[in-house]
Amino acid sequence: MNITRRRFVQGAVAAGTAAFFWQAGCNARLETLEETDAVVEMPQEVQGLAAGEWVPSGCLGCTSWCAKEVFVVDGRAIKIRANAGSKVHGGNDCPRAHLAIQQVYDPDRIKQPMKRTNPRKGLDEDPQFVPISWDEAMDMLADKVMELRENDETHKFVLFRGRYTNINDLFYSSLPKIIGSPNNISHSSICAEAEKFGPYYTQGYWNYRDYDVANTRYMICWGVDPLCSNRQVSHYLNAFGGMLKNGVRIATVDPKYSNTAAKSEVWMPVKPGQDGALATAMAHVILSEGLWSREFVGDFTDGSNHFIPGQDANEADFEEIYSHGVVKWWNLELKDRTPEWAEEVCGVDADTIRKVAVDFASEAPHVMVFMGGGSNMQVRGAYNSMAVHALNGLVGAAENKGGTITGRSARLGSLPKPDDYMDEMATTNSKQKKIDQRGYLEFPALKDGKSGGGVVTNRVADAILMEDPYLPKVGIGYFCNFNYSCPEASRWHEAMSKLEFYAHCVTHYSEMSHFADLLLPSTHHMFEQMSSAAQKGNSFTHLWIGGRAIDPVYDVKNPESEVPWMLAEKMAERGFSNLMDFLKEFKDPETGQAPGNGIELETNAFKILTEPIWNPDAYVEAGNHGDSFDAWEAFLAKGIWNSDEYEFKKLWGKMPTATEKFEFYSETLKEALEGHAEKHGVTADDVLEACKYGESKGERAFVPHYTPPFMHGSEQEYPFAFIDCKSHMAREGRSSNCSWFQEFKDVDAGDMKWGDCIKLNPADAAALGLEDGELVRVVSPTGEAVTTLKTWSALRPGTASKTYGQGHWAMGHVAAEDFVGRKSRGANNNDFMTADYERLSGSTAFYGSFRVRIEKV
């Protein structure tokens, strides 16, 4: 990222100096490190300190979920490095993890429980929080929950979840059920979901994929920048060097010249939203040029190629092997999707489309299309997701060496189930409709092929405002900040103002905390609590675990174990012991001892979950694969489990689709769409119309196909398609209160330190009479914001790009320009992005769906 060591040291010293003055002003319980510059300047000496030790841990700063080690000296965490025992990323790191040091010792953290004293809620209201004890806080929360039970309104309880650890079901799933609510609402659909839609409705896999980059020959990065975001950044930052040295060819599809594009042989600056045109044109070329995989897809019985542009092929003449419906796909969609047609639609010239398609297929099957959210988290992104991923199937790269693979997971133990602790009220009320409107006609959310199977996170704000299906009364949230992270954030401000009582479990006061009645300060996952998470990469899967590396810096509790334990105690005092009785089922697998407090519950839960890894008998019984241990302490000491290497081709002919094959004509989607339609007494075409897919009717609805993007704002009034992009430095949108984040923000190409900007191509800026560095107003159909203009040549003309991560008016004195006065540093993209959805998956639309105009302030 072109950062000199000297500059890094200067930034670290500046950060340490700033922290010293904050401590003096805030009376924080935080001692300054002596010789801060020496610590950064001489890491080898620090590592060699006799008093220190490396403690296993892990990072939840993005969905890479890397295994880490924390260097602890005299009870203080002072350095972080990768756990080299991981077969996913080895000893490789990314910048995000190191910011966690500043997070855990941040004097702006919430230091003890706080309660709201101003009964009025609103953006302009001062909550007037005052400190209270944990005992008083849990009394308040228990009273509110018991009030719901007394009034038979338990379904009006809601639990919001953001990031989480492996034991999240204890809190996220079980607690609402025992109380009697269906409402556990995760962040998932503002993270991905549409990205999972295509792989599921072609090969039956609703999850993130792994990519065997070590053995690939050609890589197309589509709507994703593996060197900056997505999964396993640490691995890809290291792997790309070897790939390029070994002659791997890379093409990038992205309207902006991303980090990955800079390493690519070809950059294809597609028009935002038009990914489906490019993908179907490439499929047309592969078939018409006879470059598909005969081994995987099959062939015409006479050995000739009957995929002739503009002409139907006879299905009976083609004998498929591990795929289903390739000729149907050609006849229904591909025969007319020539590169020349696509050039007019997607803005990539026909010669480039043809060349990339031919070069890609010629290197097959050890090739891949690495798909991210840019191509599919759009209002009409589901079929883009199918079309882009289908290219992997067409050339035999799905589940193949050097291709895209599903990965494998550790076979873990099961946490106790809540069913036996659900009384009649809980059983009845937990069957009520969920508050996010999933399963409504216009919100199929077809996760795993089920109507309403997925979450529609951002729709909760509208549901609360409409009181449809009902108005929730009591909520708990943890590791979430939907008032900042969801498009059209103003809706969340209004919705949270209507929620009668809300408890927020967070490390820092956030935009969502502003509407809370209780602030429950949380442990930091990397240092102050036991944590575990799994991720795949490099054809392996790892599961890391870390204990409590340091004592909590402040009076904080783990929201997934200590908070439910304390709530259970208070509810038992009020005559409802079901939750406590359930939690006592989490017995230590080694001793059989029930937990006696929240910390013991935390430990027992992780021991139960991971027993098939650390207990040799359970390992054999589970049929596990990969590392094994002879005791819990041995696993905890190493802090990492690795799977065996992936078995390629094992799912060929055994894919979990309706046909057990890779489906170019998706019988799986047909079954799901028709099932949702039957539920509402309409046709599949009616469902698609309600979901803004009016042109996707009849048989075309079941094949990957091009559909024009649905864009909010006319091109005449809003001339620039907006591109929301990710930062190297953002830890789930929460790192902006770290001075290191601000000091090195310009590692995001075109961005600026300690500030914020929106980028335009210089030609576009000149046409508007705008100059680099001046303040501009960004206006969309639903909102506006003021930020700085930066001209950036590495951007497709007609687009405007802005990095997500600034614009906090909460979080702390560094994140906000004026924390006390609630003045943000820069602008939050979600303040002017319109709330809309890819409704078939439930995903929030972040890309290819919005237009803006740029005005001089």
Side-chain angles (χ1 to χ4, degrees):
M1 295 186 297
N2 200 30
I3 301 177
T4 66
R5 181 169 185 79
R6 180 177 180 180
R7 182 180 159 201
F8 184 86
V9 172
Q10 289 172 339
V13 174
T17 304
F20 174 81
F21 288 108
W22 295 337
Q23 292 153 21
C26 301
N27 294 318
R29 294 189 306 161
L30 181 63
E31 298 176 1
T32 58
L33 276 173
E34 295 182 4
E35 299 180 346
T36 304
D37 55 340
V39 169
V40 179
E41 191 64 30
M42 297 181 292
Q44 293 302 320
E45 283 76 3
V46 171
Q47 293 176 29
L49 286 175
E53 64 174 332
W54 287 103
V55 179
S57 185
C59 181
L60 299 178
C62 75
T63 49
S64 292
W65 295 341
C66 296
K68 299 295 178 187
E69 291 179 316
V70 179
F71 194 61
V72 180
V73 178
D74 292 334
R76 279 188 69 91
I78 65 170
K79 187 173 175 62
I80 296 167
R81 70 181 182 188
N83 187 331
S86 168
K87 291 183 179 179
V88 171
H89 54 64
N92 303 299
D93 246 333
C94 90
R96 293 183 179 94
H98 304 284
L99 298 175
I101 292 282
Q102 288 195 328
Q103 287 183 319
V104 71
Y105 292 117
D106 188 348
D108 279 331
R109 284 182 68 180
I110 304 170
K111 300 172 178 62
Q112 66 185 95
M114 309 282 284
K115 75 173 180 181
R116 184 186 201 94
T117 58
N118 180 2
R120 298 183 301 276
K121 293 184 179 180
L123 186 62
D124 297 324
E125 293 287 344
D126 182 354
Q128 298 176 20
F129 284 112
V130 298
I132 58 173
S133 67
W134 275 101
D135 193 57
E136 183 180 351
M138 301 314 294
D139 275 330
M140 290 175 62
L141 182 55
D143 284 343
K144 286 296 180 180
V145 174
M146 291 304 296
E147 187 178 307
L148 294 179
R149 289 195 57 82
E150 290 162 7
N151 296 326
D152 195 10
E153 292 184 313
T154 56
H155 59 289
K156 295 183 178 180
F157 172 83
V158 60
L159 179 59
F160 295 127
R161 186 199 74 189
R163 188 54 57 223
Y164 53 90
T165 75
N166 274 352
I167 64 164
N168 73 94
D169 278 356
L170 186 164
F171 189 32
Y172 173 69
S173 297
S174 297
L175 185 141
K177 289 179 180 178
I178 292 171
I179 290 173
S181 174
N183 291 312
N184 53 340
I185 305 296
S186 81
H187 74 298
S188 295
S189 65
I190 63 170
C191 182
E193 302 314 271
E195 181 187 327
K196 304 172 187 175
F197 187 92
Y200 184 82
Y201 287 106
T202 53
Q203 67 174 89
Y205 184 68
W206 190 283
N207 209 326
Y208 306 115
R209 283 77 56 212
D210 185 14
Y211 298 91
D212 183 27
V213 298
N215 295 300
T216 198
R217 299 306 307 154
Y218 200 112
M219 178 185 198
I220 301 177
C221 292
W222 205 308
V224 64
D225 186 356
L227 300 179
C228 175
S229 59
N230 207 273
R231 284 142 205 97
Q232 267 320 306
V233 175
S234 297
H235 168 51
Y236 297 125
L237 281 170
N238 175 67
F240 262 58
M243 290 166 59
L244 295 172
K245 183 179 179 180
N246 293 331
V248 175
R249 303 166 73 180
I250 304 173
T252 291
V253 180
D254 200 316
K256 67 181 184 301
Y257 193 68
S258 65
N259 302 275
T260 302
K263 303 295 183 183
S264 298
E265 177 180 275
V266 181
W267 173 40
M268 305 172 80
V270 66
K271 290 181 181 178
Q274 299 289 5
D275 303 85
L278 180 57
T280 53
M282 289 180 65
H284 172 98
V285 172
I286 290 168
L287 290 176
S288 64
E289 296 285 341
L291 297 173
W292 72 87
S293 169
R294 268 70 173 177
E295 177 190 18
F296 184 74
V297 179
D299 201 359
F300 289 100
T301 54
D302 63 1
S304 300
N305 183 5
H306 297 283
F307 291 126
I308 301 171
Q311 297 183 22
D312 284 347
N314 188 344
E315 291 182 51
D317 293 339
F318 196 99
E319 187 174 320
E320 288 188 270
I321 303 175
Y322 297 115
S323 72
H324 172 76
V326 68
V327 178
K328 271 196 173 84
W329 186 24
W330 172 266
N331 292 341
L332 288 167
E333 175 65 16
L334 297 182
K335 63 182 179 182
D336 297 318
R337 299 307 190 198
T338 65
E340 288 71 24
W341 163 82
E343 178 178 344
E344 296 299 315
V345 178
C346 73
V348 179
D349 68 272
D351 288 343
T352 299
I353 296 173
R354 184 172 283 105
K355 184 178 187 309
V356 170
V358 170
D359 289 350
F360 168 72
S362 297
E363 296 282 4
H366 307 309
V367 299
M368 65 177 68
V369 180
F370 191 134
M371 180 177 67
S375 65
N376 46 66
M377 291 186 75
Q378 307 171 8
V379 175
R380 291 178 178 161
Y383 292 107
N384 289 354
S385 184
M386 292 178 70
V388 172
H389 186 68
L391 295 173
N392 288 304
L394 206 54
V395 298
E399 299 302 305
N400 208 343
K401 182 178 181 180
T404 174
I405 54 182
T406 56
R408 62 196 313 177
S409 302
R411 295 185 175 95
L412 299 176
S414 298
L415 296 179
K417 302 298 182 185
D419 304 58
D420 292 341
Y421 300 93
M422 296 172 64
D423 61 13
E424 183 177 354
M425 183 190 301
T427 301
T428 300
N429 288 351
S430 62
K431 295 176 183 177
Q432 296 260 15
K433 291 181 178 179
K434 287 182 180 277
I435 192 62
D436 61 346
Q437 299 184 348
R438 71 182 75 179
Y440 280 25
L441 172 63
E442 66 274 29
F443 288 105
L446 297 173
K447 177 183 178 182
D448 293 331
K450 301 174 184 175
S451 173
V455 63
V456 195
T457 312
N458 200 22
R459 189 64 180 177
V460 171
D462 300 290
I464 290 174
L465 294 174
M466 294 186 293
E467 302 185 17
D468 177 14
Y470 45 81
L471 178 65
K473 289 186 174 182
V474 178
I476 303 175
Y478 79 102
F479 218 150
C480 61
N481 186 13
F482 299 150
N483 292 61
Y484 176 82
S485 58
C486 289
E488 214 170 326
S490 59
R491 298 155 41 260
W492 279 92
H493 301 336
E494 294 177 42
M496 294 303 294
S497 297
K498 290 187 67 172
L499 198 60
E500 182 180 303
F501 186 87
Y502 181 62
H504 206 193
C505 306
V506 281
T507 57
H508 289 69
Y509 176 81
S510 71
E511 284 77 8
M512 200 172 192
S513 304
H514 185 72
F515 300 87
D517 299 272
L518 271 181
L519 299 181
L520 303 178
S522 296
T523 46
H524 193 290
H525 74 275
M526 189 182 284
F527 310 98
E528 301 172 317
Q529 66 177 66
M530 184 168 283
S531 294
S532 175
Q535 190 53 281
K536 62 194 74 173
N538 196 31
S539 78
F540 291 92
T541 296
H542 73 201
L543 183 146
W544 57 260
I545 191 165
R548 294 188 166 219
I550 63 173
D551 291 334
V553 179
Y554 303 116
D555 188 11
V556 296
K557 305 291 183 185
N558 183 345
E560 290 183 333
S561 56
E562 292 180 277
V563 169
W565 181 273
M566 292 186 293
L567 178 59
E569 287 180 322
K570 293 296 185 181
M571 293 177 70
E573 290 174 4
R574 288 156 175 77
F576 183 76
S577 64
N578 297 37
L579 181 57
M580 179 55 74
D581 294 340
F582 166 70
L583 296 181
K584 287 185 177 179
E585 290 290 331
F586 287 72
K587 297 176 181 178
D588 187 321
E590 292 182 299
T591 67
Q593 189 72 32
N597 55 53
I599 295 179
E600 291 178 3
L601 172 64
E602 172 187 283
T603 302
N604 288 2
F606 281 109
K607 290 180 76 171
I608 294 167
L609 191 70
T610 62
E611 186 177 8
I613 288 177
W614 58 262
N615 181 339
D617 293 336
Y619 182 97
V620 173
E621 185 178 345
N624 236 319
H625 50 86
D627 296 344
S628 61
F629 300 86
D630 58 9
W632 163 252
E633 291 299 333
F635 175 45
L636 199 60
K638 186 173 181 181
I640 186 75
W641 170 90
N642 295 287
S643 71
D644 292 333
E645 195 167 5
Y646 195 70
E647 300 173 30
F648 301 114
K649 298 185 180 182
K650 68 174 183 175
L651 292 178
W652 283 22
K654 301 176 183 178
M655 291 185 178
T657 59
T659 61
E660 297 189 332
K661 296 183 176 184
F662 192 103
E663 296 183 343
F664 298 115
Y665 179 92
S666 183
E667 303 286 356
T668 307
L669 178 56
K670 185 174 185 178
E671 183 178 320
L673 269 177
E674 291 181 346
H676 182 71
E678 183 179 354
K679 171 181 170 181
H680 291 279
V682 299
T683 67
D685 286 352
D686 294 329
V687 172
L688 292 166
E689 185 72 40
C691 295
K692 300 187 178 180
Y693 285 101
E695 297 184 11
S696 303
K697 294 184 177 180
E699 288 285 273
R700 286 185 72 234
F702 311 123
V703 298
H705 66 272
Y706 169 72
T707 182
F710 184 100
M711 299 286 282
H712 286 272
S714 68
E715 189 170 358
Q716 292 71 30
E717 189 174 359
Y718 303 97
F720 301 104
F722 181 72
I723 303 169
D724 176 81
C725 56
K726 301 298 182 285
S727 170
H728 288 90
M729 308 291 284
R731 288 179 54 81
E732 297 282 355
R734 298 175 178 87
S735 52
S736 60
N737 205 52
C738 301
S739 58
W740 288 346
F741 172 92
Q742 301 292 348
E743 179 65 20
F744 301 118
K745 188 65 180 67
D746 57 345
V747 301
D748 295 318
D751 281 17
M752 54 199 293
K753 294 194 283 187
W754 293 91
D756 189 33
C757 65
I758 191 165
K759 289 166 278 193
L760 284 180
N761 186 281
D764 288 332
L768 294 174
L770 298 174
E771 296 182 1
D772 193 82
E774 66 178 310
L775 285 181
V776 294
R777 179 173 288 106
V778 186
V779 184
S780 78
T782 54
E784 61 180 58
V786 173
T787 187
T788 301
L789 175 72
K790 292 280 284 184
T791 54
W792 197 41
S793 299
L795 187 63
R796 180 186 179 88
T799 62
S801 175
K802 187 172 180 299
T803 306
Y804 171 73
Q806 296 279 43
H808 280 290
W809 46 265
M811 300 300 287
H813 289 79
V814 176
E817 189 75 31
D818 179 358
F819 181 60
V820 176
R822 295 202 301 276
K823 179 182 177 183
S824 65
R825 183 184 301 280
N828 177 11
N829 295 4
N830 289 314
D831 283 341
F832 56 84
M833 291 176 68
T834 302
D836 209 339
Y837 313 86
E838 196 301 297
R839 295 158 187 256
L840 295 180
S841 65
S843 174
T844 288
F846 282 102
Y847 312 106
S849 303
F850 313 97
R851 307 190 70 87
V852 299
R853 67 174 182 266
I854 312 294
E855 304 172 342
K856 184 177 296 189
V857 172

